Structures are given as structure tokens and as C-alpha cells.
Amino acid sequence: MELSAGTITRVNGPIVEVAGMRRLGVGELVTVGSRRLPGEVLSLASGGATVQVYEDTSGLRPGEAIAATGHPLSAELGPGLLGGVFDGMLRRLQDAGSWLEPGTLAGALDPERRWRFTPSVRAGEDVGPHRVLGTVPETDAITYRVLVPHELAGKVEMIADEGEFTVGEAIATVAGREITLAHRWPVRRPRPAAGRLRSGRPLVTGQRAVDLLFPLCHGSTAAVPGGFGTGKTLLLQQIAKWCDADVIVYVGCGERGNELAELLEDFAELEDPRSGHRLMERTVTIVNTSNMPLLAREASIYTGVTVAEHYRDMGYDAVVIADSTSRWAEALRESAARTDELPAEEGYPPELSSTLAAFYERAGRFRTLGGEEASVTILGAVSPPGGDLAEPVTAHTRRFVRTVWSLDRQLAYARHHPAISWTDSSSRDAEAVAAWEAAEGNAGWAGRRREALQLLFDAERIASVAQLTGVESLPAAERVTLISAMLLREGVLQQSALSLNDRNCAPSKQAALLALVLEVHRALLASAGQGTAIERIEALDLSDVARIRDECAPDDVDAIARLQADIQGRIGQLG
Amino acid sequence: MTAARKPDEDRGEDPVELPPQPIEYSSTTSIRGPLIVVEGVEGIGWNEVAEIRLANGEVRHGVVLDVHLDHAIVEVLEGTAGMRLDGVRTAFGGGPMSVPVTEDWLGRVCDGRGEPLDEGPPILGSRRREITGTPINPAVRIPPSEPIITGISAIDGLATLVRGQKLPIFSVGGLPHLELAAQIAVQADVAGEPFAVVFAALGVTHADAASVRQTLEARAGEREAVLFINTADDPVVERLMTPRLALTVAEHLAFECDRHVLVLLADVTNYAEALRQVSAARGEVPTRRGYPGYLYSDLASLFERAGRMRDRAGSVTLVPVLTMPAGDITHPVPDLTGYITEGQLVLAKDLHARGVYPPLDLMGSLSRLMRRGTGAHLTREDHPELSDQLYALTARALQAAELAEIVGADALPAADQRLLTFRATLEREFLSQGQEEARTLETTLDLGWQVASQLPAAELTMVSRQTLAARYRAKEGDAAHGHVR
Ligand SMILES: Nc1ncnc2c1ncn2[C@@H]1O[C@H](COP(=O)(O)OP(=O)(O)OP(=O)(O)O)[C@@H](O)[C@H]1O
Ligand SMILES: [Mg+2]
């Protein structure tokens, strides 16, 4: 379906000028040259257009042809995305060649594969937008729901019987329109929902520093700023593996190929502890590594959210992880520079802030058009140049997200992982989580969080005094605080991504570990208060408290209770 | 370097059709900075190479930066100094810049454009490949997971280099980073599997180039190394080509000739400065410290060429060497490098001043892929634990040293004093070694235990009980001392 064709008049890197095209729209996707490279229309002038090409234009010449597609950059949404690996434009990478030659990638979905479809409506029924027409077992973990398009309502004129269909075959006709398993959606346009809902249950990540101190809810947003090597990727990957969402969309945006290869291996091997299914079955991986084309990197973020919204519309809780949003912002900056837009801060285009805001706005807990409650959560890494947290991308992002896990270089140097700073991080969802926990019968959650933060802050203040005066001159209670804060850091907040026992921590074990440290703290304070010499307290070997997280299974609460009793006994014997 | 002349079956490129006699265009209408405008061209593609013949017979090289109808803007690699509008004839090469790919590179010493500096013949090959390279499909990558042994204890023991990894050396002027890079290049070994070293010197002095060349001579003689030398007085645009040329040769040796290839690029800061200069000449908008906004992506287009691929035996491992201007790790070049690579080896002035070679600053250094590339079957089962333990002890020793600065070493508790002794011994016996000394991995790890065993076993908490039983050496004189090869 060639809508209109024109001729290239100029090639300047990814920017191409064309003549002889009519009826093009700004933002429309075109194919460029004999290799049919994808491009996007940037601007129009009489008889001509400027096009930005998504792949390397080496060898492209004036005189080559260009063709319109009639639609903007869009994602092909249908069964077969889960478990797949795609580039930033949602083109399938698994079956592609070893080297990504320009013009060689195909679409997202396998056009040949047949899926088992089971209808859930009858012919003659009246259906509205996003009503479920039928289901497909996309993976063992997730059932794909075929929905009525968002702008369509009316009678089901035809509905297929249970059977096998390719993504392009019609499985229903509604109000005169044929419906297939797959459809396209323009990635820069948010998919519609009926309305927003208040935040609900917490997103359990299995990571203690997150769940206990700086939590977030399903449908919320979080950013992870931190210099290189502070642990952004590992933290986000841990969450991708262990959080309690239904669907994960992992977007490797301008980052490393090696770490993605490792992650994919993990997804293929690891099981979701809740469902027992392999993690791969709930995950869509979008990879546009740092050496892949810049424009597709810019698109990858939108592609990722669009895929997540698609599963949200089916009623699922989806999480989008974007590592790193700074590389996305850089891609924005590059395309702005090429179009001679006047730069604002540090060369970024003036719309950086509104673009970031609009991206995070696509997160939320929604009432879907089909009437379900579902959510999109967005987590983004931020890579500040020179670790400078005042730079534009970091500064703006902090304003738009609800939770910030700020990674601290000093903690990372000291190999305290995850290096989430307790002074620089924040969570605007903490109250909502506290209320939810209380309603679930965990009334102690908020109190323990408050106590833990207090202990960390107190220890920080006391340590800075001790730097000047020496520890000896501190009152006993303050020296106890230093001991307890160390136990809190080593025994609760540190969590190795490499430890089989510790990489994922059930909420019950999380609570038990924190309670253990707080109880030990109280017992030590009491002992000191009753006159036990502080030196004897400091000589106590409490290393088991730091070690138990690694030594007992991810949900072994009893081992922690036994240790607590044992240690309280030992403290009791002191005085 | 000329244009691609042969289609590359392996990567399924379109054949490039060349006129038998390339047309020469003589209508040069302007010269500005490194750019010339050639008019009346036909069928010229973006990024195509050009050969520019001056009136006096001199030949320069160029690349098409912009082509508009019949105008081509060509960037002249050697610069336009001394050029005049008349008498210039430009011929285009029919495709982007490429190099012959062949194992004949091994054993050779070339300039930054691949022309021989040794006595040998020009390197020819029936197949050529574009030097900008093509991204590896991330879905066919496999995670790096086997070590390269460098014979240097600080690296092998504590920041192991893994095949397919990119691990830079961050240094400052005046430190022996080139010596270290050359030593790695000479000693690196992959347990007898086919191996090759590709060393690209970028903007180095003639003296440094000569010394690297001399160090690598023997390995080149065994046809295990190739050296590309771009010196400080070579054209800056050429400096942008040299690493790409080196990496293209490396990819061929690795992914088509099944070798493990170690690529060293030194000094990447010179490369980044060349990029900044060329960007400014093109009139691009600068960002941090005058570097172009695409510095990250440009460096990544080099560094991401490291890796391993499914169904291919070889690997490309990359060690970029860079000097941090004013020792500032937040400077864009080390900063963006750190954001791309998998860890870093940081050299420190104070260690150098204390005579420690290599002066590796343990606290700033990390090989992020070490965990996967060490342990039983790969190095030795106690290796990861020993390394964690030495790191942890060093961190504690540093704290003790800081305290000692305030209160004096004598006022420290005995445990802290032991840590200070530990640190001194580690520097002297483990970290320090000769520039021509290659230690086996066994030697390195045994030395590590010898140093760690100075402390009471109870203080080695990162090590499991079994490992401790097997490796801890209770003090009994100085029996095992330095059986260093
Ligand atoms: N939870 C963790 N457990 C164990 N090690 C960790 C953890 N988090 C980080 N690390 C260590 O820190 C290193 C760097 O972590 P990571 O790759 O996540 O950093 P990053 O912030 O994403 O860096 P960059 O910005 O360069 O991508 C890891 O290779 C690992 O050695
Ligand atoms: Mg990262």
C-alpha cells in the first residue's frame, strides 16, 4: 500500500530532505531509500519534507525513493510479545542476524504462528470499548485478552469458534469492523482509560531498602539517580525479577549489551516465586544498546510504556523499567540539535521538562475502558553526568516522580549494596503503604519504618560528633545507637543481588529482620540503662545479626525469631 | 583505507557497484575549515570516502558529510591547509570507509590509517569491511564468563579481566599507564587458546609510541599482535579513524578467525579531544566542557564492539586507557567511559609516589564481570572469596589509616594496627611487581593468602570455614615467600 512516493534531495546523516511528496503528515512514518529504512517526518514545506531516519544512512543518495506509510511510528501489539526481545521500535531481535545491518529488521510478531483463541462473547451481543472478545494463552503465566478497539462499540456480528489463528486473521466482526488478534498503536499517544484511581497496594519488590524504607504503590513512579557503578542497573534488575507485578516491560535504553545478555539468561532460568513460572513468561524486553541507532533509543521509552498500557488494558498490573532515562534524554537532545532547535539548559531542548513529565504521567492506577482495575508503574534510572544531581534530567525527574532511590557513591565504594541513601531518598507513597499495611493487619509497619529512619539519622549525627571528640567521650546510649545502626545497615539494608538466600526477601522475612535489629537495639539500651559497662556491650559478638539475612531462606522467619531469642538472652546475661 | 570493493557475503551486504574508472570531479567551489564543497556530483552517497588530488600531486582523503542534489560537502581528514580551489580533483570511492580484513594484520606495525610503518608490504585482502562497524545484535550476545590472565596480581587477583568485557584504565599524567597497558598486551593469556592483541596508540608522543612498539615486538614477531600508531602530530581526524580501524580488524580476528582478541586503546582522552575539535570545526552545539552532546554515544560506538556471540568461539575484550584531566574523575571523558564500561581500574598518584607498581587504587577499582569469570573451573575455587576479603580488609585498613592521621598510629587499638601492617604488606608483596614480571594465577592467589594470613583467622569473615581450613597459612616463620616466576 504505497500512499505516495517522493525523491531524496539531500542526505545529511540521519536528516534527509525529500521532494515531490504530497499529503504527508508531521510525525508520519516513511520508508527511505532502496533499503527501505524507517524514518519520521519532522517538518513540511511546500512540496518538500524533512525526514529523520531511524537507522544508519551511510551510502544513501539523492535521487533514491521515499514512500509514505500513512501512519505514525506505532507498535504492533498482539500475542507473542511476552518472552520476546525487541529493539526500540519493537522489532523482533531473537530471529534477526548476528549483526544489525540497516534495513534488515522485521516486525514485532511472528505472522505465521498460530494461537489458540477461545471466544468469551456470543454473536449478537452488544459490546463496548475494551470489552474482552476472547482469550489466548500467550504464556503459561499470562492470558492474552483480545479487546474491542477503544473507539468501537456495537453488535458482535461474527465471533470465531475456539481454534487456531494467526495474529492477522479475523476472529470477530464488531459493528462492521473486522477484529484480529493484533493491532497497531502509535507509541507517542497514551492509550485511553476510563479514569484514574487512587493508589492501592504496595509494589512488593523483595528489596528491603525499598519495601521497608522507600516503598511505592502499583501505578506509581520512581527514579533511581546515581553515578556510574552505584548500582542502578542491579537494583532495577532485582525489581524486574522479584516484584509482584503481572507483567514487566524492561527497556534497556542506550545501555550495555553484555548486561542485557546476562539479564536475559537470568529471566530464562529463574522462576517467579509466586507463580512458579519462568520469569521470561511475564517479561517483554526492549533493548536499544548504546551503539544502536539514537532515534530508536528515543522511541524505545514510548514503545515500552505502550506495551505496558496494552497489558494494563487487559486488566494486568504492569511495570515499566527504563534504564537509563538519561540516555533517552540525550537522544532527545541530539535530534533537537540536528533540527536547529534553540537549546535551553546544557543543550537540552526547552521541552525536556514537559516531555519528562508527560512520560511519567503515563503511569497510574486506572479504571480501564473494559471496567477493570489495573496499573502501569514506571521506574527509571537516571545517570547524572559527573554524578551532579543538579543537572537538568535529574533535577526535573525528581519533581515528577513519587519515589526517589538516590544512590550514594560513598556507600557503593564501601560495597554497601543497594547503595540507597537514607538521607537523599524519599517516598511520597509511604503513607499510602502504611495505611494499606495497617488495613492488612500489619499495624507495626509504619512505626518500624519511623524507628529505623530515626536510628540511621541519629547515628549519622552522633558519628559526626565522634569524628571530632572520639567515641570514648560519647554517652553510653549514643554508643549503643552506633552499634544498632551498624546492625541495621549490615543486617537489614544491605542485600546482595548475588546471594541465593538474600536476593529476594519475602515481606515476612523483611519485617522479622527489621524487628530483630530494633529489638536488639532496645535490649542494648535497656542493658546500658541498667548500668552495664558500655565496653562489655561493645565487646558482644553480634555478627550473627548481620549474617542471618544471608544464612536463612527467603521466607524463614523462624530462624530469625530463634536468633532474636538467643541474642536477647545473651544481652540479658550481661547485666 | 579505501572504499568497500567487495560485497561481504558473511554479513549480507549489498554489493557496491563501482564504475571501472572512478569519475574525478574538478569543480571545488569552497573551502572552509576542514570542509570542501564539490559540485556537479552524481550518485554520491552519504558517508562515502573520497580521494582528493591537489594540483601539486599530493593526495588527501575525505568523507562525505552532506550531499544535496549535486553538491557534496567533504570533510578532509588531513585538513585543508595549503589547499586552493583550482586544480583539486576529487574521486569518490563508492562506499563508506573500509579496511581489508585478513589475518595478515598480525605481526604488523602500521600508522593510524593502516599503512605499514614496518618494512612489510601493504596489507591487502580480498574482503573489506566498513570501519564504523555494525552493532552486534544484543539478542545473540552471550555474557562474558571466562578470565584473561594478565600475569599482574593486582588485576588477576582483585579485578579480573573477563573475555568480552570492556575494562578501562583511568590514570593521570605522569603515571605508568602506558607501561601497564603494554605489559598487559605482552603477558595476556587465555589458557593456550588462540589469542591476539590489537594495540591502538591514539595521539601519543613518538617516544611513547617507540617504547610500546619495542615492548610488543616479540609478540608481534610471533604473529600474535598488531599495532596501530597515531601520534600526537598526526591529523586529528585520523585519530577518529584509528580505533575504528583497530576494532574492525579485531572483530574479524575474533568472530571469523575464532581468536580471543584483546584490544588496547591509549589514550582515549586524546581521541575525545580530537572529537571535540572536529565537532567545533563542524559548527556543532557543544555541551559539557565543550564536548559534543553525542560524546557518550560516540564512545559507546567504540566500546560496545567488545563482547562474545553465540555460536562463535572468539571474543573481543577492550581495555581503553585514559588520562583524567587534572585527575578529575567527574570530567566527561572518564565519567562517560565509566557509564559505558564494566568497571574500571584506577591508578593513584600516592601509590606511585610510594613506589608501588602497578599503582592500582583498590577502592576505586572494580571489575563488574569478575564474579562470573572467576572461581572453580575458571580460576580457582577460593578466588572470589579471597578477593572479597582483601577488598574488605583494605577498606577497613583505610579507615584505620584515616584515624591514625588524627590520633597517631600508636594510639590505635591492636586490631587496627594489624590492619595498617596488612595494608603495607599487601602493597609491597602483592600489588607490587616488576614491569617484566608475569605471575601465574596460582602465585597471585597464594601471595594473597600469604598476606591475608598475617591477620588472625577470625578476622577473615568473608571467607567460608572450608576455604579458611584449606588456604589459611598459620604463621610459622616465612616459609613460603615469593616463589615468583
Ligand atoms: N545489590 C547488589 N548486590 C551486589 N553487588 C551489587 C549490588 N548493586 C551493585 N552491585 C555492584 O556494583 C556494580 C555496579 O552496579 P550497576 O551495574 O548496577 O551500576 P550502575 O549504577 O547501573 O552503573 P552504570 O551507570 O555505569 O550503568 C555491580 O557490578 C556489582 O558489583
Ligand atoms: Mg547501569
Side-chain angles (χ1 to χ4, degrees):
Chain A
M1 185 184 55
E2 307 281 81
L3 294 175
S4 118
T7 312
I8 296 174
T9 55
R10 179 176 189 179
V11 185
N12 180 0
I15 301 294
V16 169
E17 288 176 11
V18 301
M21 294 193 80
R22 248 151 290 184
R23 290 205 311 275
L24 272 181
V26 169
E28 183 170 342
L29 199 69
V30 292
T31 61
V32 179
S34 55
R35 282 177 298 175
R36 302 178 62 84
L37 307 176
E40 194 171 54
V41 177
L42 284 180
S43 62
L44 296 168
S46 61
T50 304
V51 168
Q52 189 159 219
V53 183
Y54 277 93
E55 297 192 52
D56 182 16
T57 54
S58 287
L60 193 66
R61 301 168 187 172
E64 287 191 56
I66 183 160
T69 64
H71 58 76
L73 174 66
S74 29
E76 203 185 340
L77 303 172
L81 294 178
L82 290 171
V85 186
F86 306 89
D87 85 334
M89 299 173 71
L90 206 67
R91 296 179 298 180
R92 203 170 187 79
L93 290 174
Q94 284 123 309
D95 331 310
S98 301
W99 306 88
L100 298 178
E101 299 290 350
T104 56
L105 286 177
L109 306 175
D110 180 350
E112 316 270 295
R113 174 151 178 198
R114 307 191 80 81
W115 298 91
R116 172 139 292 264
F117 171 77
T118 309
S120 22
V121 294
R122 281 171 218 273
E125 254 183 77
D126 272 319
V127 293
H130 283 185
R131 172 74 189 280
V132 181
L133 291 171
T135 58
V136 168
E138 184 176 358
T139 63
D140 287 345
I142 297 291
T143 300
Y144 184 91
R145 302 187 178 122
V146 188
L147 305 179
V148 176
H150 75 282
E151 77 287 13
L152 195 66
K155 224 171 237 6
V156 177
E157 289 150 11
M158 181 283 276
I159 180 81
D161 292 332
E162 179 164 353
E164 310 252 308
F165 296 87
T166 66
V167 290
E169 285 170 339
I171 49 87
T173 309
V174 174
R177 205 156 118 200
E178 278 194 352
I179 316 279
T180 53
L181 294 184
H183 68 282
R184 293 193 151 272
W185 186 266
V187 297
R188 298 182 203 281
R189 198 160 98 222
R191 289 173 63 90
R196 286 179 183 265
L197 301 171
R198 286 174 59 88
S199 56
R201 71 193 166 95
L203 179 83
V204 177
T205 68
Q207 310 305 302
R208 289 185 295 270
V210 170
D211 294 350
L212 292 172
L213 296 187
F214 304 105
L216 81 167
C217 295
H218 281 275
S220 199
T221 49
V224 194
F228 69 77
T230 49
K232 300 178 292 297
T233 300
L234 253 73
L235 177 62
L236 290 176
Q237 291 187 350
Q238 285 301 96
I239 296 176
K241 289 172 187 168
W242 309 119
C243 81
D244 67 347
D246 300 314
V247 170
I248 308 290
V249 182
Y250 191 96
V251 187
C253 172
E255 290 289 317
R256 305 170 179 84
N258 280 339
E259 66 192 14
L260 257 308
E262 198 172 333
L263 182 69
L264 288 172
E265 237 182 48
D266 289 351
F267 280 149
E269 277 165 20
L270 295 173
E271 276 179 10
D272 181 346
R274 290 171 199 84
S275 70
H277 298 301
R278 283 176 318 132
L279 288 174
M280 202 74 192
E281 299 186 16
R282 67 166 197 180
T283 311
V284 179
T285 310
I286 294 172
V287 194
N288 217 92
T289 53
S290 54
N291 57 339
M292 285 164 69
L294 208 68
L295 257 187
R297 186 202 295 177
E298 192 267 334
S300 66
I301 292 283
Y302 295 108
T303 305
V305 189
T306 302
V307 170
E309 286 174 344
H310 177 50
Y311 285 97
R312 173 206 67 191
D313 291 342
M314 297 178 211
Y316 293 114
D317 286 319
V319 171
V320 183
I321 292 179
D323 184 9
S324 160
T325 60
S326 296
R327 304 305 163 215
W328 166 54
E330 275 171 19
L332 280 175
R333 178 167 71 184
E334 282 316 292
S335 43
R338 284 177 190 145
T339 50
D340 297 323
E341 207 180 328
L342 268 189
E345 301 160 274
E346 300 214 8
Y348 287 104
E351 66 271 18
L352 174 70
S353 152
S354 58
T355 306
L356 283 169
F359 164 61
Y360 283 107
E361 234 8 67
R362 288 178 76 168
R365 211 166 139 261
F366 295 89
R367 169 81 57 205
T368 68
L369 292 177
E372 308 266 349
E373 286 179 16
S375 64
V376 171
T377 306
I378 300 182
L379 314 179
V382 184
S383 317
D388 168 13
L389 298 179
E391 63 88 36
V393 180
T394 316
H396 289 303
T397 301
R398 285 188 88 115
R399 297 195 291 129
F400 303 132
V401 296
R402 294 190 59 81
T403 291
V404 177
W405 303 309
S406 185
L407 302 188
D408 182 291
R409 183 169 296 280
Q410 292 314 317
L411 289 177
Y413 265 174
R415 307 240 187 322
H416 171 116
H417 294 300
I420 297 178
S421 156
W422 41 90
T423 49
D424 265 356
S425 302
S426 58
S427 164
R428 277 152 69 188
D429 284 350
E431 276 178 33
V433 172
W436 191 89
E437 293 284 354
E440 292 288 302
N442 304 323
W445 185 89
R448 281 196 300 271
R449 172 173 189 266
R450 208 175 320 110
E451 262 185 88
L453 285 172
Q454 193 64 50
L455 192 53
L456 293 165
F457 290 136
D458 286 349
E460 204 118 300
R461 179 178 48 76
I462 295 166
S464 62
V465 173
Q467 288 246 299
L468 303 173
T469 63
V471 176
E472 276 68 34
S473 60
L474 295 176
E478 297 199 337
R479 287 166 77 170
V480 166
T481 298
L482 290 181
I483 299 173
S484 308
M486 193 181 75
L487 294 177
L488 179 56
R489 289 195 303 267
E490 294 186 359
V492 183
L493 299 184
Q494 290 186 17
Q495 187 171 358
S496 170
L498 307 164
S499 154
L500 292 184
N501 272 335
D502 205 30
R503 60 190 183 188
N504 175 34
C505 187
S508 55
K509 179 173 168 184
Q510 298 194 10
L513 283 172
L514 182 53
L516 164 67
V517 168
L518 295 176
E519 285 308 323
V520 168
H521 178 52
R522 269 190 278 278
L524 292 177
L525 273 184
S527 180
Q530 286 155 13
T532 310
I534 185 68
E535 287 75 16
R536 291 187 60 209
I537 293 178
E538 283 173 343
L540 263 180
D541 179 5
L542 296 173
S543 58
D544 287 344
V545 178
R547 226 174 267 140
I548 185 85
R549 62 182 168 89
D550 200 24
E551 286 177 348
C552 76
D555 51 4
D556 188 354
V557 181
D558 296 341
I560 299 169
R562 282 196 300 276
L563 178 65
Q564 184 168 328
D566 168 51
I567 294 209
Q568 277 170 328
R570 274 154 57 197
I571 296 171
Q573 283 162 14
L574 284 177
Chain B
M1 287 179 285
T2 52
R5 276 176 214 287
K6 264 220 119 185
D8 186 330
E9 305 80 358
D10 192 59
R11 295 198 189 172
E13 281 164 16
D14 289 336
V16 181
E17 280 181 28
L18 270 190
Q21 194 74 58
I23 304 169
E24 287 196 335
Y25 296 97
S26 53
S27 168
T28 311
T29 57
S30 87
I31 302 179
R32 187 175 51 85
L35 310 181
I36 63 172
V37 177
V38 184
E39 292 197 2
V41 302
E42 222 188 296
I44 301 306
W46 183 73
N47 203 21
E48 198 164 309
V49 289
E51 217 166 71
I52 302 140
R53 211 169 283 279
L54 310 194
N56 63 4
E58 185 192 339
V59 175
R60 297 191 187 179
H61 304 83
V63 178
V64 176
L65 279 195
D66 189 347
V67 50
H68 189 185
L69 297 174
D70 67 344
H71 289 43
I73 300 179
V74 177
E75 183 171 62
V76 183
L77 302 191
E78 293 86 349
T80 53
M83 276 178 73
R84 303 156 49 113
L85 285 176
D86 52 325
V88 173
R89 286 169 300 150
T90 304
F92 293 91
M97 192 168 289
S98 66
V99 285
V101 285
T102 159
E103 285 192 284
D104 291 345
W105 287 106
L106 291 171
R108 303 302 303 273
V109 180
C110 302
D111 70 8
R113 290 216 317 270
E115 306 295 339
L117 289 175
D118 53 18
E119 258 74 272
I123 290 103
L124 302 169
S126 56
R127 296 163 64 206
R128 305 185 64 88
R129 181 147 299 153
E130 294 175 13
I131 66 163
T132 41
T134 310
I136 298 179
N137 179 353
V140 307
R141 281 183 185 267
I142 44 176
S145 58
E146 296 136 325
I148 292 181
I149 301 303
T150 66
I152 296 163
S153 293
I155 299 175
D156 295 345
L158 300 175
T160 316
L161 182 61
V162 182
R163 297 176 210 172
Q165 181 177 23
K166 36 202 183 293
L167 186 64
I169 298 176
F170 288 3
S171 184
V172 289
L175 297 192
H177 44 270
L178 264 186
E179 288 81 347
L180 179 60
Q183 187 177 5
I184 294 172
V186 168
Q187 295 179 180
D189 177 61
V190 288
E193 289 186 45
F195 188 71
V197 172
V198 176
F199 197 114
L202 308 173
V204 300
T205 61
H206 284 269
D208 282 341
S211 103
V212 168
R213 189 174 169 175
Q214 197 188 359
T215 315
L216 271 170
E217 207 143 54
R219 193 149 210 176
E222 289 163 28
R223 285 178 57 87
E224 274 201 337
V226 47
L227 187 55
F228 296 98
I229 299 176
N230 165 280
T231 51
D233 52 356
D234 283 333
V236 286
V237 184
E238 183 184 302
R239 199 157 301 145
L240 305 185
M241 306 296 155
T242 307
R244 295 183 162 81
L245 168 64
L247 284 159
T248 306
V249 170
E251 279 176 350
H252 171 75
L253 294 173
F255 299 125
E256 273 139 61
C257 307
D258 293 344
R259 287 170 184 264
H260 295 289
V261 184
L262 175 64
V263 182
L264 296 109
L265 305 175
D267 175 329
V268 171
T269 306
N270 295 337
Y271 169 87
E273 266 156 24
L275 190 72
R276 175 167 64 178
Q277 191 178 330
V278 169
S279 166
R282 290 177 183 171
E284 292 166 346
V285 183
T287 57
R288 289 216 161 194
R289 306 225 196 166
Y291 290 96
Y294 53 78
L295 179 59
Y296 172 86
S297 297
D298 186 275
L299 290 174
S301 76
L302 303 178
F303 300 164
E304 273 292 307
R305 291 173 80 169
R308 291 168 72 209
M309 293 163 82
R310 201 180 297 150
D311 303 328
R312 297 184 198 227
S315 61
V316 173
T317 308
L318 188 58
V319 176
V321 180
L322 59 86
T323 42
M324 302 182 278
D328 177 8
I329 199 167
T330 69
H331 180 279
V333 176
D335 184 55
L336 295 179
T337 299
Y339 272 123
I340 301 165
T341 55
E342 288 127 355
Q344 64 282 332
L345 304 172
V346 181
L347 305 190
K349 265 191 179 148
D350 60 326
L351 284 167
H352 180 62
R354 287 206 292 279
V356 177
Y357 173 89
L360 191 77
D361 168 25
L362 286 191
M363 290 297 70
S365 301
L366 171 72
S367 164
R368 296 197 201 174
L369 304 183
M370 175 175 179
R371 182 64 60 155
R372 262 185 173 267
T374 55
H377 312 300
L378 292 166
T379 54
R380 213 170 75 180
E381 75 292 344
D382 57 313
H383 186 175
E385 287 174 81
L386 173 65
S387 150
D388 283 352
Q389 186 64 71
L390 292 177
Y391 267 113
L393 290 171
T394 305
R396 282 171 47 204
L398 277 179
Q399 284 177 352
E402 270 170 33
L403 210 57
E405 300 251 306
I406 305 170
V407 299
D410 297 341
L412 292 183
D416 280 359
Q417 293 193 10
R418 278 200 297 272
L419 283 169
L420 294 184
T421 316
F422 158 83
R423 181 170 169 229
T425 319
L426 186 78
E427 283 180 8
R428 200 177 55 240
E429 320 244 312
F430 182 88
L431 292 184
S432 298
Q433 71 184 83
Q435 282 185 20
E436 289 178 8
E437 177 188 353
R439 292 188 189 149
T440 64
L441 188 72
E442 286 286 313
T443 309
T444 288
L445 297 179
D446 291 348
L447 273 176
W449 280 111
Q450 192 174 305
V451 178
S453 300
Q454 295 206 327
L455 296 168
E459 286 179 26
L460 307 184
T461 51
M462 312 288 282
V463 182
S464 70
R465 276 175 254 275
Q466 299 121 283
T467 306
L468 215 50
R471 302 285 174 186
Y472 185 77
R473 308 174 172 192
K475 271 212 190 97
E476 24 150 336
D478 265 335
H481 199 90
H483 32 123
V484 161
R485 194 177 95 194

